[in-house]
Amino acid sequence: MKFNINKLAAMIAFASCLTACSSDDSSPVAEGTSGEVELYFDNGVAGDALLLGSSYTNGNGESLAINRLNYIVSNMVLIKADGSEYVYPKEESYFVISAEGNLKSAMLENIPAGDYTKIRLGLGVDKQRYLQGETAQQSFWDLAAGYEMTWTWSTGYKFINFEGTFTSAQYPQEKIFQVHQGSNTSTDNYREITLSLPTTARVRQGELASIHFKVDANAILDGINKIKLGENMNQAGTASSIMGGENLIKIAENTLQMFAVDHVHNGAGSPH
C-alpha cells in the first residue's frame, strides 16, 4: 500500500482542529475573570461588498455611487441565555465606524467571562449622553467631527453620514446626494437593535470573541420604507438632501434592518 504523507498530515491537522474546537466549546468560565469582545462591521450593499465609488442600483430604480458611509454605534449590551445582561460602561460605549476611513471595529474590554447569546447596540448617540454636555464627551465629539459626524454642538451628532451621487430615469445626469441621520428638537432618531448570535460568544480570560456584523447600506433608502432621492431634490435641482423631516423618521425605522450578525469567532485570533 502506498503511503501518502500529505493525506496523513491533513488527517492530523483535521483531528487537531476538532480537539481544539471541542476544548474551546467546553472551556469553563473562571469566575472573576474577564476577556475582550471585538465588534467587526462588514459594510455591504444588498448582498454585495461596499466599494466606495462603485455604482449600485436599488429597488427604487436609482443607481447610487457611494463615496461615504460613516455611522456611530453605541451603548453595547451583551446578553446571556438566561436573560442576564452586561451593560458596557456608557462613557466608553461610543464608536465611529467608517467605510471611508477604514474603521471597521469596536473593541470592548474587561467583559466578564461568560457565554453570551445576544447583543444590543445603539445606532447614534442617545439623548441622555448628549445632555451630559460637551465637556463630558469632548474626546468623542472631536473624533466624530474628524469623520464629518457632527453639526454644531447645539444641533448635535450625525448618526449616519451617507453620501455620493446618483442617477435615475428622471435624473440621467449625475446628481449629488446626502443623507445625514440624527436627532433634532422635535424628533429623537436614536435607535437600539437587539440581535441573536448564530453561535455563542464565549468570553474567556486571554481570549478574544469576535462578533462579525453584516451591514447593509441599501436598507437606508430601500428598506421597509422606500425613499427616492429624486423626490428630495433641492430647489435648484442639483442635489438631493435628507437631513430632517418625515423621511428621516422613516430612515430611522429602516436602519433597524441594517445590521445582522453573520458569525462569531471565539479564540485568540479574529479572522474575518
Side-chain angles (χ1 to χ4, degrees):
M1 181 173 68
K2 188 175 180 179
F3 181 73
N4 190 323
I5 192 167
N6 290 330
K7 283 187 177 180
L8 179 60
M11 290 173 66
I12 292 172
F14 180 68
S16 298
C17 178
L18 285 179
T19 302
C21 292
S22 175
S23 171
D24 239 7
D25 289 343
S26 59
S27 56
V29 176
E31 296 297 330
T33 62
S34 62
E36 296 183 332
V37 174
E38 177 194 38
L39 309 182
Y40 182 87
F41 296 88
D42 188 2
N43 297 308
V45 185
D48 294 327
L50 172 59
L51 300 175
L52 295 180
S54 296
S55 294
Y56 304 86
T57 300
N58 63 23
N60 300 325
E62 296 177 327
S63 180
L64 281 62
I66 301 164
N67 59 36
R68 173 172 290 159
L69 176 65
N70 298 342
Y71 48 93
I72 294 172
V73 291
S74 59
N75 295 317
M76 290 73 180
V77 179
L78 292 166
I79 306 169
K80 295 181 179 179
D82 64 3
S84 60
E85 300 182 347
Y86 173 70
V87 179
Y88 198 65
K90 193 172 190 63
E91 293 74 15
E92 303 169 21
S93 195
Y94 297 85
F95 301 87
V96 173
I97 304 299
S98 172
E100 180 185 21
N102 202 32
L103 290 179
K104 295 183 177 180
S105 62
M107 190 66 70
L108 310 183
E109 300 177 337
N110 299 315
I111 306 297
D115 297 332
Y116 297 92
T117 60
K118 292 183 181 180
I119 185 169
R120 183 164 67 247
L121 73 162
L123 180 59
V125 176
D126 56 290
K127 189 174 182 179
Q128 180 188 25
R129 179 59 170 165
Y130 175 67
L131 290 177
Q132 288 178 344
E134 187 173 2
T135 302
Q137 51 202 294
Q138 188 66 59
S139 60
F140 181 72
W141 176 266
D142 292 342
L143 173 67
Y147 285 91
E148 303 292 334
M149 298 303 292
T150 60
W151 285 293
T152 63
W153 175 251
S154 61
T155 47
Y157 293 93
K158 302 172 188 176
F159 303 165
I160 298 175
N161 188 334
F162 183 50
E163 298 181 346
T165 59
F166 81 100
T167 58
S168 65
Q170 184 181 6
Y171 294 97
Q173 299 298 315
E174 198 171 70
K175 305 293 183 183
I176 294 169
F177 77 84
Q178 295 178 312
V179 177
H180 294 171
Q181 166 76 312
S183 292
N184 52 48
T185 53
S186 61
T187 307
D188 184 0
N189 288 316
Y190 169 79
R191 293 292 183 271
E192 289 189 341
I193 304 151
T194 301
L195 298 168
S196 295
L197 306 182
T199 54
T200 299
R202 298 188 302 275
V203 178
R204 301 292 187 271
Q205 186 173 24
E207 296 184 1
L208 178 69
S210 181
I211 301 174
H212 185 127
F213 294 85
K214 289 285 189 181
V215 183
D216 185 7
N218 187 63
I220 296 171
L221 299 173
D222 188 15
I224 298 170
N225 301 300
K226 309 297 181 182
I227 300 167
K228 291 187 176 181
L229 293 168
E231 295 176 355
N232 292 272
M233 299 296 290
N234 61 15
Q235 288 186 344
T238 57
S240 176
S241 297
I242 303 174
M243 300 184 188
E246 185 64 28
N247 275 340
L248 213 58
I249 298 172
K250 291 180 179 179
I251 286 172
E253 184 179 359
N254 283 352
T255 58
L256 295 174
Q257 307 300 317
M258 188 174 164
F259 297 85
V261 178
D262 186 65
H263 63 269
V264 176
H265 175 77
N266 294 295
S270 57
H272 304 296

